[in-house]
Structures are given as C-alpha cells and as structure tokens.
Amino acid sequence: MSQGRLNVISLTSFVETLGEQVAMAVLRDYSCPQNTEVSDFLRDKALQSARLSKSVTYLVSDERSGSILGYFTLMIKPYTVRPNALNSRNRRLFERFAEYDEEKKTYTVAVYLIAQLGKNFAIDDGRRITGAQLM
C-alpha cells in the first residue's frame, strides 16, 4: 500500500473547512458497491445525523493525496440491563456509571456503537485502506 499517514477528521469539520457544496462533491466519489447503504448514508444522511446530534461521522484520508479512504460513524445509545443479569463485579460498575430506574428496576448506561463502517472502493487496490487500518 503506497499511502502516507492516515488522517481522521470529523465530517462536520470537513464540511466547515471546504464548504458544504465542495465537501458533498468530494463525498460523491465515495463508493462501496458491496453495500450501497454505506455509500448512501455517507452521502445523504451522515451530515444531517450529525446536525441532529444523533451520530458523529469521521472520515479517514490519506495525508499525501487527501483521498477519502473510508469512514466510520459512532453513536451513543442507551443500554438497559436488569441487576439480576449482572455478576457482582459488573453490578458495582453499573452502580458507578449507570442510572438506576427504581420503578423499572433496571440500570441504563450510555454505550458507544459503531453505526457505520466503510472503505472507499473507488480508490485503486494499491492505495485502498484495509479493514484493520480502518478499525
């Protein structure tokens, strides 16, 4: 692989830097034919989702060429669990970091999820990022 260092930038910063029209034009070149929903999300939904504070998308680019090699989207979701499903060690952790709902008898904690993950297949094989690098 002949790419340089990898840079990671949030989609919102990318848009602020380039302007929305230019940034969206750059993202139109992104392609993931194995799963078109990955491409569609980046081009059509990621920015709106960030603006609504539902998720944060990060672009991974090659420092040398500036090419978008891939992206990932993180979101925070509530995770609810009943105390009887936890061993004593995990229950202590939940007691420290989670909210307990007395009425429902459940703990709820915020967890980060990888909501989207995709490589740019519009990049030729020699410069394409690996899944391990993207992770």
Side-chain angles (χ1 to χ4, degrees):
M1 189 173 343
S2 62
Q3 64 199 39
R5 272 187 33 177
L6 299 177
N7 286 331
V8 178
I9 184 172
S10 73
L11 177 60
T12 53
S13 294
F14 183 72
V15 169
E16 287 171 6
T17 301
L18 296 179
E20 190 166 343
Q21 285 187 324
V22 173
M24 291 300 120
V26 170
L27 295 181
R28 276 193 285 277
D29 291 336
Y30 179 91
S31 175
C32 184
Q34 290 82 348
N35 186 344
T36 56
E37 289 179 19
V38 170
S39 300
D40 294 344
F41 178 82
L42 180 61
R43 289 191 294 252
D44 302 328
K45 299 174 186 160
L47 187 57
Q48 182 66 20
S49 183
R51 287 179 174 153
L52 294 172
S53 299
K54 290 186 173 190
S55 67
V56 180
T57 296
Y58 294 93
L59 305 174
V60 179
S61 65
D62 178 353
E63 185 178 69
R64 278 189 220 153
S65 69
S67 300
I68 304 298
L69 302 174
Y71 81 95
F72 58 95
T73 301
L74 303 176
M75 64 187 317
I76 297 176
K77 294 286 276 186
Y79 177 71
T80 302
V81 65
R82 296 197 180 282
N84 61 354
L86 301 169
N87 62 32
S88 60
R89 179 177 178 262
N90 287 339
R91 186 174 296 128
R92 283 191 301 274
L93 282 172
F94 268 78
E95 287 170 351
R96 287 178 54 200
F97 298 108
E99 283 189 34
Y100 186 70
D101 184 325
E102 191 70 47
E103 185 178 306
K104 294 179 182 177
K105 305 285 190 232
T106 58
Y107 289 104
T108 302
V109 66
V111 295
Y112 286 94
L113 297 177
I114 299 174
Q116 295 283 336
L117 182 72
K119 299 188 322 183
N120 188 357
F121 286 86
I123 303 292
D124 64 60
D125 283 343
R127 293 182 27 237
R128 194 174 300 148
I129 194 171
T130 66
Q133 289 172 306
L134 187 54
M135 287 298 291

